[in-house]
Amino acid sequence: MRRIITLMLALILLTACAAPAQTGGGSTQQAAAGGQEQPPEDPAEPEEPEEPEPPAPEPYEISNPADPKEGYVPWDGIVEHLFFHPVVAYPELAFDGDAQANGIDDYMVTVGEYNKILQSVYEKGYVLVDIADVWSETTGDDGQPKMVRNTLYLPEGKKPLILSYDDTNYYPYMLENGFTHKLIIGEDGKIWSWGLDPQGQETVSRDLDAIPILDKFVEEHPDFSPFGAKGCLSLTGYEGILGYRTAKSTKSWDDQREAARQKEREAVAPIVAELKRTGWTFGSHTWGHIRLAGKKLTLAEIQADTQRWQDEVASLVGDTTILFYPHGERPDGNDWTQTGPIFQYLQSTGFRVFCSVGVESFSYIKKDICAVICDRLHPDGITLRRARDQYLQFYDAKDIMDVASRPQREIKW
């Protein structure tokens, strides 16, 4: 009997060992007819690798220089204001003798010149302040709104400086003439520029564009920006902003073009957010870079342009109280001895600080309307060649100008 039981156990073990192995987490199934095997179930799909988390933004503190701070002293003097256009990354492309060369020579500085200017104003004791912190809107004794100049509290021995940057839109003509093409977010989460070098190779850098250059300079010299301020970016809208084609054409338009525009709007949103987080602000340069003086445009045309700026630019960067006059032209021809209909309209839309261009950092609080008008100085080829003495408080053009790279035109020093 014992031998029979032993033989039966051996037979059971042999049958078990001959059973097919399980695959893919489930047993192989037998077909109902003919005893044929069904194919095994598909194994589970491999999990997609997780995208790496973007780097956490570095802490960045922005404060107001009008708030008294221990160890800081009041400043009631002139607040200097310098403005730049986009800087030339590749002089060999900008100054190649084509139809754009002399205009770029007149109105821009090179990356090398820009770096020297930043170093010079830093060494001469200037510190950056936000233009929106210099003046405030309040209510006068008559109950009407008015602008007032704030007392700024600065580190002892320092002088305030506003920086602004016109046409930071990266127009198509710039892309062929030695400028970077757009701003991007780098792998480190910071603002970088993207463009093509003279050989047509893609180049991502923090050393070829005015905006990341200033970011780096402040990182290396934090006392240059004790309040966290950087500069104010003066934007048009007709070619998009910051290198992204966010404008809607007034000509033919269709769903495909609109979809592409919306993708550009989505792409620029994190750029705007990072700029604002790290001390950059935005101002209007009008949507179409229009002329505000004289009778070249009707009030209705200026109103339409302003509405387009609100729709296509303010919708991305937020509202602003700062207006930078295109071509430096004052509304109605003269905005400080009179307040004409164009100025009144622009002020009614929310603008309070109106910036032109001049030979000194002039400012004037208007008495009849809640507004400030001011001039700003322009480091560029024109003033490097012809106005050395007017800029000595900031830098010496002899030390700054890249004479070898620029067109060989007259220099008056």
Side-chain angles (χ1 to χ4, degrees):
M1 183 69 177
R2 182 179 299 166
R3 185 175 182 180
I4 293 172
I5 293 171
T6 302
L7 288 171
M8 290 178 65
L9 289 171
L11 182 61
I12 291 169
L13 287 171
L14 286 170
T15 303
C17 290
Q22 292 185 347
T23 59
S27 62
T28 302
Q29 298 179 354
Q30 300 291 327
Q36 296 179 350
E37 290 185 354
Q38 293 274 10
E41 294 178 0
D42 290 336
E45 290 289 331
E47 293 185 3
E48 291 288 332
E50 292 186 4
E51 290 289 332
E53 289 291 326
E58 294 181 357
Y60 201 88
E61 182 179 350
I62 300 174
S63 58
N64 190 329
D67 296 333
K69 297 177 68 173
E70 185 176 354
Y72 284 45
V73 296
W75 175 273
D76 290 315
I78 294 172
V79 178
E80 299 290 355
H81 187 165
L82 300 177
F83 92 92
F84 299 88
H85 288 98
V87 298
V88 175
Y90 303 108
E92 63 268 44
L93 296 180
F95 307 131
D96 58 359
D98 67 6
Q100 302 286 353
N102 283 349
I104 295 172
D105 180 51
D106 282 342
Y107 300 118
M108 278 75 165
V109 297
T110 68
V111 161
E113 292 166 343
Y114 178 68
N115 280 319
K116 291 179 181 178
I117 290 171
L118 291 182
Q119 184 65 38
S120 180
V121 294
Y122 171 71
E123 292 175 356
K124 289 181 178 293
Y126 288 97
V127 294
L128 299 180
V129 297
D130 183 354
I131 186 173
D133 290 334
V134 178
W135 298 276
S136 294
E137 181 174 348
T138 188
T139 302
D141 295 337
D142 58 359
Q144 297 301 310
K146 67 175 186 177
M147 299 297 291
V148 294
R149 162 72 188 279
N150 296 320
T151 297
L152 305 181
Y153 292 85
L154 308 179
E156 190 166 5
K158 300 298 184 180
K159 301 170 286 187
L161 175 66
I162 298 166
L163 294 180
S164 57
Y165 298 80
D166 282 11
D167 300 307
T168 46
N169 303 80
Y170 304 80
Y171 302 133
Y173 87 86
M174 294 179 179
L175 310 188
E176 301 173 356
N177 284 281
F179 296 84
T180 56
H181 290 209
K182 63 181 177 180
L183 299 178
I184 63 171
I185 299 288
E187 293 181 355
D188 57 0
K190 298 177 181 180
I191 298 293
W192 291 60
S193 69
W194 180 93
L196 300 177
D197 69 13
Q199 290 72 46
Q201 301 298 312
E202 293 188 17
T203 302
V204 175
S205 176
R206 296 186 76 205
D207 301 313
L208 296 173
D209 185 283
I211 293 168
I213 287 173
L214 182 60
D215 283 342
K216 279 187 64 177
F217 192 89
V218 170
E219 290 169 13
E220 295 163 1
H221 307 85
D223 55 328
F224 186 45
S225 181
F227 311 102
K230 298 285 181 56
C232 189
L233 305 180
S234 169
L235 299 174
T236 61
Y238 68 96
E239 292 286 0
I241 67 168
L242 306 177
Y244 296 81
R245 300 310 171 211
T246 56
K248 183 174 182 179
S249 173
T250 56
K251 300 177 182 177
S252 62
W253 204 251
D254 54 30
D255 291 344
Q256 184 177 359
R257 289 184 174 89
E258 181 59 23
R261 185 176 84 95
Q262 291 302 327
K263 286 184 178 180
E264 292 286 278
R265 287 175 62 88
E266 292 170 7
V268 80
I271 314 297
V272 170
E274 180 62 11
L275 288 168
K276 294 173 79 169
R277 189 187 75 82
T278 54
W280 294 92
T281 59
F282 296 93
S284 172
H285 204 35
T286 76
W287 182 85
H289 206 270
I290 59 175
R291 294 186 177 274
L292 297 172
K295 298 181 179 180
K296 297 178 178 68
L297 292 175
T298 66
L299 178 58
E301 289 171 323
I302 292 171
Q303 290 171 335
D305 179 273
T306 304
Q307 187 60 55
R308 290 203 70 176
W309 197 91
Q310 293 291 335
D311 294 342
E312 296 185 12
V313 184
S315 62
L316 291 167
V317 304
D319 293 330
T320 181
T321 59
I322 316 298
L323 177 63
F324 298 96
Y325 297 153
H327 313 283
E329 290 188 347
R330 301 177 182 280
D332 313 298
N334 183 343
D335 61 356
W336 66 284
T337 61
Q338 64 177 338
T339 303
I342 294 174
F343 192 99
Q344 291 180 44
Y345 164 72
L346 293 169
Q347 191 272 353
S348 74
T349 66
F351 295 121
R352 294 295 182 268
V353 181
F354 297 77
C355 302
S356 187
V357 180
V359 296
E360 62 180 353
S361 300
F362 156 89
S363 66
Y364 174 73
I365 296 176
K366 290 177 70 68
K367 304 296 190 293
D368 59 336
I369 194 170
C370 184
V372 176
I373 60 173
C374 55
D375 280 355
R376 50 199 179 130
L377 294 162
H378 52 114
D380 55 25
I382 291 176
T383 57
L384 285 174
R385 293 177 183 279
R386 307 176 190 173
R388 173 176 172 256
D389 290 349
Q390 294 174 10
Y391 287 77
L392 287 174
Q393 61 183 309
F394 307 108
Y395 54 81
D396 189 336
K398 290 183 177 181
D399 301 327
I400 301 298
M401 188 174 176
D402 184 356
V403 177
S405 295
R406 286 180 173 272
Q408 300 304 299
R409 303 165 74 192
E410 182 183 14
I411 298 175
K412 294 188 175 179
W413 40 261

